Amino acid sequence: MKQGRLYGVGVGPGDPELMTLKAVRIIRECQVIAIPHREKEKCTAYQIARQAVPEIEEKPCLFLPMPMTKDREILEKSHREAADKLAERLKAGEQVAFLTLGDATIYSTYLYVHERIRKMGFEAEIVSGITSFCAVAARLNIGLVEKAEPLHVIPASYQIEEALKLPGTKVLMKAGKKIGQVREELLRRGETVVMIENCGMEGEQIYRSAQEIPDDAGYYSLIIAKEKGE
């Protein structure tokens, strides 16, 4: 029996109309849908895809919960278990679409599974999706970079002081519980800041300065910071 193939499908940042034609086709063609969650109803990537591909509800769903933690042992265990479950489906000759927010190459938990599956001898392919920072810039009607300006994508839950000294535009992602610290650092540096929470989704909020950023901003919050005068 021919082995199945795994697809890491980026479903875009939130608006189902921003899903690519290829993502829609792959989801329709795959026999199994995999999600990094225990419940379809609480999986943002699944709910985005469901609006563009309603027939997804008819497909079996493989639940591969990925805990939000920096504990390496816990992460290693979850990635190993997810790869093992996926391997069972692929050995059976099934095509599997693993749904992930935005693009699968940008801070995606899918990548850890992708590499494991390939090392196990299976075929795995990444299907690009529109990134959250491109969607945020478009939503705000602004450019990210022009001429020779560099663009820096920064995981904001780590130390950001040195990163904010970089020239050009800084995209701050996944600040999480450290959003208050991030706001204070941006205020200290006097950056020009905009932030969107839940871009393209229900409950979207736009903040047009660092002062406006709340302490309880949600997980799907993205900041674009530019040096004054840009």
Side-chain angles (χ1 to χ4, degrees):
M1 180 184 295
K2 185 178 180 181
Q3 293 181 337
R5 175 180 291 190
L6 174 64
Y7 296 89
V9 181
V11 301
D15 182 347
E17 289 189 329
L18 293 181
M19 280 181 60
T20 67
L21 293 173
K22 184 171 184 178
V24 169
R25 175 178 64 80
I26 293 295
I27 290 170
R28 284 177 174 155
E29 292 177 355
C30 283
Q31 287 89 18
V32 178
I33 304 299
I35 60 173
H37 211 289
R38 297 183 186 278
E39 301 175 58
K40 292 189 290 187
E41 292 74 18
K42 294 183 179 180
C43 178
T44 303
Y46 186 91
Q47 294 305 316
I48 292 168
R50 182 182 61 79
Q51 296 174 72
V53 193
E55 57 267 38
I56 195 175
E57 296 278 13
E58 302 167 11
K59 298 177 182 286
C61 190
L62 190 59
F63 301 99
L64 308 173
M66 300 284 181
M68 289 186 184
T69 177
K70 293 177 183 177
D71 187 306
R72 290 187 178 183
E73 288 188 12
I74 294 174
L75 289 172
E76 180 77 12
K77 181 174 182 290
S78 68
H79 298 157
R80 182 176 63 251
E81 291 176 349
D84 289 343
K85 289 179 181 179
L86 287 166
E88 291 178 12
R89 296 288 189 156
L90 299 175
K91 285 177 184 176
E94 295 177 311
Q95 313 298 322
V96 182
F98 186 116
L99 307 185
T100 184
L101 273 175
D103 182 275
T105 66
I106 306 291
Y107 300 125
S108 171
T109 50
Y110 168 74
L111 284 178
Y112 302 106
V113 177
H114 179 82
E115 291 304 321
R116 283 180 176 273
I117 286 295
R118 293 185 69 195
K119 288 178 180 177
M120 294 166 76
F122 298 100
E123 292 184 346
E125 179 180 327
I126 294 174
V127 179
S128 293
I130 291 176
T131 63
S132 56
F133 48 90
C134 288
V136 165
R139 177 72 179 85
L140 294 170
N141 271 333
I142 62 173
L144 280 171
V145 284
E146 298 177 36
K147 299 177 182 177
E149 290 176 347
L151 174 66
H152 308 280
V153 182
I154 301 162
S157 61
Y158 295 85
Q159 297 297 320
I160 64 166
E161 288 84 357
E162 291 303 313
L164 287 177
K165 294 177 184 177
L166 295 167
T169 300
K170 277 80 69 173
V171 169
L172 305 178
M173 301 178 65
K174 300 178 180 289
K177 295 178 181 178
K178 292 192 174 182
I179 190 71
Q181 296 175 34
V182 171
R183 181 193 61 221
E184 294 309 309
E185 185 63 23
L186 290 168
L187 285 169
R188 187 183 70 79
R189 290 189 51 81
E191 303 270 314
T192 299
V193 172
V194 289
M195 185 182 93
I196 290 190
E197 183 178 2
N198 300 324
C199 182
M201 295 184 277
E202 186 178 348
E204 178 185 276
Q205 293 288 333
I206 298 175
Y207 306 92
R208 298 191 180 275
S209 70
Q211 288 92 337
E212 293 181 18
I213 296 175
D215 287 326
D216 60 350
Y219 180 72
Y220 301 120
S221 297
L222 184 140
I223 298 168
I224 296 175
K226 293 174 177 274
E227 295 170 297
K228 286 286 187 183
E230 287 188 33

